[in-house]
Amino acid sequence: MPIIWLRVALGFYAVGLLHALLVLTRQTSWLARIALPAMTLGVIFHFVSLAESVQQSGQLTLLSLHNSESLLALLIMAAFVIVYLVYRTTSPGIVVFPLVFVLTFAAASGQQPFLLNSPALRKGWLLAHIILIFAGYAALLISFGASLLYLIQERSLKSKQPASILLRLPALEVIDQIGYRSLLLGFPFMTLGLVAGTIVAQAYFGRIDYLDPKILLSVLMWTVYLIMLYTRWSAGWRGRRAAYLATGAFVTAVVAWAANYFSTIHGIVQS
Amino acid sequence: MNFQLLGINHKTAPVEVRERLAIPEARLAEALRRIAAHPGVEEALILSTCNRVEFLARTRNGSADLHGFIRDYFRIDPAELVPHLYEHRGRDAIRHLFRVAASLDSMVVGEPQILGQVKGAYATARAVGAVHSQLDLLLTRAFAVAKKVRADTGVGSSSVSIASVAVDLAKKIFGSLQGKQVYLVGAGKMSELAARHLLAHGAGSIFVANRTYERATQLAAKFGAEVIHFDQLYDTCDRADIVITSTGAPCAIFKREHGELFLSRRKNRPMFFIDIAVPRDVDSEMNKLDGIFVYDIDDLQQAVSSHIAGREKEADRAEAIISAEVEKFHVRLQTLDVVPTIVSLQDHLENIRQAEIDHVRGRLGHLSPEQDAAIETLTRGIVNKIMHTPITTLKTAARESEATTVIEVIRRIFNLRGEDAGRRDGWKTERSHAQIASNESGELETEIKADIGAKS
């Protein structure tokens, strides 16, 4: 039973994820009204699921990594709810909702891996994974390039050298918009790409080794990506600070890419 | 080539003198009618801007008393003005007009408004009928030359005044100024000008804060701006994307901590401070903050002067273009002088031919179509042979200074009647504007050839 409750919880968390993505792209989201109740319901089912699994095993086992992911997700949500009750702010949700979704997804799929029996289905998921991740990489690359251009343009404006006034770069805000929009656009691709990757890996291996460098780096990259979006969205970070973050995310992405060479997971690609 | 230009500008006269000759727009049409009716004047244009007043005329016989017009119209003794006035004739007048239209004679070389002003003057003069033939041709050409100078040289390629440099910089930061908020701190003339420029480029609402509230209200009324009490300055300033400061405060009113406060309230969206106050209103530390750009008066001045330095080189190239264009136009006008004579010559000989054929046909009785055709060919051949030399001579002469003499001689030899004045203008007005504006003298030649072909 715990796995069913966990999947119900995951369903509710998906609403939160969608809401977070919508809020990032525009000021208001039509999910705003139901996101918070949905997440609350998610927490309840999540709690039931965990409690039941504890009851079944007779102890709070963290032996299984998947249970600990589930617990971590629950604790993060609990912290979010407390913050909300004290400060009446949902803005951390931008970060919390996707994070909780991904953790719970990993936990749920880990407890009962996806079984893609038909080869065509496996191929389909693999293709989806590749396309989505590549779209995410492309967006990240554009955003990285834009933040470098931003720094150049900012420096030229600050230097006040007359020659630099004639420099033919796009306006600062235009560069900024390009970078931010591609970042926004890339995030859903990256997230869904990772989800698809998880499914594929499980289908091939039956389980996922979360300590595999490829997986670790991908998760790290996704987290940096999320932080970038959040700092930009909440504090309007741009210029130098945004460029550092974009460089960080980009470097992680490149390393995660290079990790193919010393990871076993991506062996399937060659096979 | 009977162009004559009398004028006064910012180089020859102070504003006290210029304003005595200035003609407000409302009275321009009437002034144009007066000058067009002045003895000896065929066509006229009046250009009156804050930097210059010029009277350009095409005269009947090379000279009109434009001083007399000034005396009559303004009731000023021209003798008082003589040290300030300049007068150009013929080619020099053409050159002067080209230079003015191309903004080479402007106080700020390359500023774009002057061309619009000349076009405005032209439109009024045409509407009144003061410009209708050769002057029309000259002005249309002047606009084309101005356009060419602008396109082929750097003159006018970038903005000049401090206000427009400020606009350029703002665009570098914000891209479009659409909907950007402008905050005026202090209500000086300069900041008003800068605000006007920003508004003209699409900036949205404006706020005004000034130590004396009345002054702020007065300025705000001009833009429909929102007035803000000076003590609320720091609480409201983060609303502005562009801040123009020009207070008389003895020390900086915007310090680093204010900048940090604004940035955090604005979620780090960039801010542009234009500080035109001396001593400065914005602490130079502010420019070190990410997302805040501070330009003080010296920075702006430097940007302006670098533009101007580049312009002088470009101005030389522009002058070369203008000299070439003056030459071309000169040649073209002379060719124009020759055309009516060619046309009358053709008409004249054709009339003779027709008359002779009619005369002889009665005596010959019935003729077969072949015989008819033979007579046609024969007579046409004779006429064309006769015409050939005078026409080539005219066309060659058109390029040289002896054109008028040659025209005179041919008219006398063939006894072409003195219908020239009317005909010449008629010749021009019959043709479409596009044709007149066609620019090269080569094209004109083909035009003439087509003319001749149609007649023969």
Side-chain angles (χ1 to χ4, degrees), chain A residues 142-157 167-183 232 238-239, chain B residues 171-176 270:
Chain A
I142 292 173
S143 167
F144 175 64
S147 64
L148 289 187
L149 272 187
Y150 188 99
L151 285 187
I152 296 171
Q153 176 73 303
E154 187 184 50
R155 177 161 299 188
S156 95
L157 279 166
L167 202 67
R168 284 181 192 273
L169 277 179
L172 209 56
E173 283 224 319
V174 174
I175 301 175
D176 186 52
Q177 283 291 323
I178 294 172
Y180 185 46
R181 291 212 175 126
S182 68
L183 208 59
R232 171 58 207 248
R238 62 194 89 202
Chain B
K171 282 189 171 167
K172 281 264 163 214
I173 297 172
F174 299 110
S176 153

Side-chain angles (χ1 to χ4, degrees), chain A residues 7-17 35 37-43 45:
Chain A
R7 284 189 181 159
V8 174
L10 188 63
F12 284 116
Y13 289 161
V15 177
L17 173 71
M39 288 308 275
T40 319
L41 281 174
V43 170
F45 281 104

Side-chain angles (χ1 to χ4, degrees), chain A residues 150 153-154 156-158 160 162 165-169 171-174 233-238 240-241, chain B residues 169 171-175 180 267-270 287-295 299 302-303 306-307:
Chain A
Y150 188 99
Q153 176 73 303
E154 187 184 50
S156 95
L157 279 166
K158 292 247 179 195
K160 301 177 182 176
I165 294 170
L166 302 172
L167 202 67
R168 284 181 192 273
L169 277 179
L172 209 56
E173 283 224 319
V174 174
W233 177 81
S234 67
W237 272 21
R238 62 194 89 202
R240 215 175 317 161
R241 283 174 291 191
Chain B
L169 285 167
K171 282 189 171 167
K172 281 264 163 214
I173 297 172
F174 299 110
K180 295 291 174 227
K267 284 195 176 176
N268 288 306
R269 275 181 298 124
N287 196 41
K288 291 181 182 158
L289 293 173
D290 279 354
I292 288 192
F293 302 89
V294 183
Y295 274 72
D299 300 330
Q302 200 189 354
S306 78
H307 281 190

